[in-house]
Amino acid sequence: MTTTPAPAKAQARIKGMHCAACSARIERILRGMDGVASAEVSLAAETLAVAYDPALASTEAMAQAIADAGFEAEFEAAAAPGAATLFLAVTGMHCAACSARIERIMNAQDGVLSASVNLAAETATISYNPQLARPAELRQLIHEAGFSTEVVSRASALFAERRREALARLVRQRRELIPAFAFALPLLVLSMGHMVGMPLPHALHPETSPATFALVQLGLTLPVLWAGRGFYLRGLPALLRRSPTMDTLVALGTGAAFLHSLWATVLILAGNNPLHRAHDLYYESAAVLLAMISLGKYLEARSKLKTSDAVQALIRLAPETATVLREGPLGPEEVRLPAAELTPGDVVLVRPGESIPVDGVVLAGTGGVDESMLTGESLPVAKEPDARVAAGTLNGAGALTIRAEKTGEDTMLARIVDMVQEAQGSKAPIASLADSISAVFVPVVMLVAALSALAWLLAGQDLGFALRIFTAVMVIACPCAMGLATPMSIMVATGRGAALGVLIKSGEALQAAGSAGVAVFDKTGTLTHGRPVLAELVLARGTSLTEAKIITLAAGAESRSEHPLAQAVLAAAQERGLAIPVPESFLAQPGQGVEAVVTGRTVRLGNAVFAGQAFVDGPLAGEVTRLSESGMTPLCLSVDGSPAAILAVADTLRSETPGVLAALKRQGVRVVMLTGDNERTAWAIAQRAGLERGDVIAGVLPDGKAEVIAGLKRELEGTGRTVVMVGDGVNDAPALALADVGIAMGGGPLSPEGRSSGSRSFGSDAAIESGDVVLMHNLSSTDGNGGTLSGVLAALALSKAAMRNIRQNLFWAFAFNVIGIPVAAGLLFAFGGPTLNPMLAGTAMGLSSVTVVTNALRLRFFKP
C-alpha cells in the first residue's frame, strides 16, 4: 500500500497588494499551478501560506508567477536539517558592493551553508552548521571587514523589517498628501466657489476669463496627479494584464475626468464656445478625488500599524543580552553575550530584576519569577533548584543560576511569537464569500460604471453628467473594505488572545470555537490536577499512633517505590515537614502493596486483602467501601500486624472546574466528561464537578476517545454547531486532532517538563502541536496549581467577539457597496433626488476601509 507524502509548506511575504482583488488574483494564480494544493493570501498581514508538492512545483516557480502578475514574493528559505540560523543587524553598508562583500566572506567560511544580506533592510541571514562554526566567530569576520553587527532573533528581525517598511510607506504617503491637499483645496475653491457665491478675482472668473480659469485649474491639477501617480502606475498595468484592481478603478475614474477636462481646455483655447466649455471642466473631481482617496489610504495604513502591538509586546519580552558562566583559570567567570548566541547547555546567571533569556532548569538560587508577561499569572512563582523557567519571564528577588535547555528560536516565547504571526495571516471560512466576490468585483464595477454612463446618455443627459456618473461609480466601489473585513479582525483577535494566554493557531479555529455545541473534557489533568494527593486519612479505632507518625511510617515504606500512589504519600510527608526514614528492608508485591521495616516496625501498605482481614470484613471495611465509592484509592496500613489507618489517595478536582462547566451549560453548550477511568471513579468526580450521569463517558482508551468525538460530530452535523475537545495534549492527541476545535491545556503537572512547583504555566510540546487552541494559564485560578481551565471560557468568548466583529465588518463592507454603487449610478436622481458628487464618493470609499480597520481594533480591549 502506497502512502501519499504530506505536502510541503512555505511562507512568503507579498509586496505590492492594495486591495482584495490583488490577494484574490494571487490565490487564483497559485491554485491554478500544477502541484499546488492550497494557497492563502492575507491582505492585512501581507503574507502567503502555500502547500505544494515539491516534485511538481517550487517556490521559485511560484515567486515568478506572482512577479508576472505584478507583485513581489519573498519566500522564507527552508533550513537544512541540523542547521542553525544567525540573524544579524548590520550597520556600515553603503552600496551593493558592501553587501556582496559580506556574502562572499561568509560563504567562504567552513560550516556556513548559505548567507544572504539585505542592503535595504541592513540585515544578514546566515545558515550554518553549529558543529563547525560559531556565531561569535562569524560576527568577528564581518567586523574585520569594517562593518558592525548586532545579533537579533528571527521574529524581531522580520518584525523590524516589516515595521520599517510600513513606517517608510506611511512617511511616503504623508509626503504625498501635503502637495495633494495644498493644490486640491485651492482648486476646489476656484472651481466651485463661484457656484456658492464666493467672490473670485475678475481674471479667474469663468464668465470673464474662461481661458485663464481653465489653465489655472489645469496647473493646480497636475501636481496632484503627480503626487497620486502611484494609482496610475499600478492600476493601468494591472488593467493591461487583465487583472484590474482598486487602483484601476481610481485611475480610470479620475483619468476620465481629467482627460475630458483637458479636451475641454483645448477647445476653450481654440475659441470653441469657451463660455460653455468653462462650465464643463471637472479637474476638481480628479484632483480632490485623488487627495481624499490618498487620505483614506494613509489613515488605513496608520491604523493597521496598531494591529502588530501584541507581537511587538511579545518580542520585547526577550532580553537582548545574558550573563553566561564560563570556566576560567580561577573558576567560573561571568561573560556578557547577546542572548541570541546562547546554546543549550550554557549556564546563565540571572540577577534580580533581569529577564530570563532561555528556557531551562534552575541549578542554584531561589526566588520568585514574574510570569505575568508571558502567562498572565498575577503572583510571582516560587523557583528553587530543579524548577523550570521560561524565556521572557522576569526574575524577582534572588539570583538564579540556570542551565539552558532551549535557546533562541526554540524557546517557548519564540514559538508563541511564530504561532501568533502565523495565525494572524490565516483565514477563517467566513472569508470565502468576500474572497469570491472580490475576485470578480472590479470587472463588474467597471461594467456597471460604463453601462450607467451609457444609459444616462441614451436618456438624454449630456456627456458631463454621464462622466460624473461614470467617475462616481468607479471611485465609490471599495474592494479594500471587503478584503480587510476578516483578516483585520483575525489579526487583532489572535494578538489579544496571546496577551490573555489563549493561543489561537488559525482563523478556522477562531471561527469554529464560537459555535461550540458540545464541549468534551478529559478528566485527568484537565478537570482534575492530574496528580494523586493524600485526600483523607482515617485512623483505626484504638490505635496509639498519631497522624504524623502514620504518615512517617507510610512514607518510609513507600520511599523505595516508583508507583504514582507512593509519590502522593511522600508528598504528604514533605508538605508536613516530616523526616522520611530509610526502610531497613523493603519488599514490593506487584498489584498488592509494599512491606517494609521502618524504624524497627513492620509496615504493610496496600490493598485491603494485603494489609489485613480487618480491612476486608472488620471495622474498617465500611470505610474502605465508602472511600472507593467516592472515587478515591484507599491505601490500607497495618503496623506490626495491627490495623492502623487508611490513607485515601485521589486526583483532586480543580477549584475552578464546577464554575467553568456551569458557565458553559448556561451558554447552551452540552458538557461531556470523557475518561479512561472506571465508571465509579469517573462518576465520583463528575458529581463534584456538577455533571449528570448522562454527561459521563468512562472506560475509554485514547483511540476510543477519537471515536466518541466522531460520533458527537455526526450528531451535530447540519446544525452549524461544533465539537470542542479539551485535553492535556498528550494522551488526548487523537481526539484533539479530530475535534472541530482541539483546546490543549498548556500548563500543569502533566506537562513532560516536570512536576515541580515551578513547572506550571508552560505548555508541553505535545500540547502546542496537537491543539488548535493552547491555553497557557488560568485566568482566575487561585489554588496555585497551575490550572488553565478558565481559559476555555476566555477562548470561546474571544471567538464569539471576533466573529461578531467580523460579521459587523462584512455587513458594513457589503452594505456600503450595495447601497453606494446604485446611488453613484444615479438611482436617486432617477426619482427626483440629487446625484452623488464624485468627490464625496471618493471620500466615502476611503473612509469605508478606515471604518473596518477601526472596528477591528476594538478587539484589542476585549475582556473575558
Side-chain angles (χ1 to χ4, degrees), residues 436-529:
S436 300
I437 293 177
S438 298
V440 297
F441 183 82
V442 174
V444 169
V445 170
M446 293 170 62
L447 180 62
V448 170
L451 292 177
S452 299
L454 180 61
W456 284 112
L457 283 174
L458 296 176
Q461 296 294 331
D462 59 26
L463 181 60
F465 182 90
L467 179 63
R468 287 197 302 272
I469 293 294
F470 176 82
T471 304
V473 173
M474 292 287 275
V475 299
I476 199 171
C478 187
C480 283
M482 291 189 295
L484 292 171
T486 300
M488 287 302 301
S489 296
I490 291 176
M491 287 183 69
V492 181
T494 51
R496 179 57 181 159
L500 293 171
V502 178
L503 303 183
I504 301 173
K505 297 171 71 173
S506 69
E508 184 177 1
L510 183 67
Q511 177 173 340
S515 303
V518 178
V520 182
F521 289 83
D522 171 53
K523 179 181 76 68
T524 306
T526 302
L527 298 179
T528 67
H529 288 120

Side-chain angles (χ1 to χ4, degrees), residues 321-374:
T321 59
T323 302
V324 182
L325 299 180
R326 296 277 169 82
E327 285 298 326
L330 301 178
E333 297 179 349
E334 296 182 8
V335 181
R336 198 71 179 173
L337 294 176
E341 289 189 11
L342 299 179
T343 58
D346 283 342
V347 178
V348 181
L349 174 64
V350 182
R351 293 184 173 87
E354 293 184 336
S355 292
I356 297 174
V358 297
D359 289 358
V361 178
V362 177
L363 297 179
T366 59
V369 173
D370 181 359
E371 299 173 350
S372 61
M373 294 184 296
L374 182 62

Side-chain angles (χ1 to χ4, degrees), residues 62 398 547 608 855:
M62 287 185 279
E547 179 179 311
N855 187 51

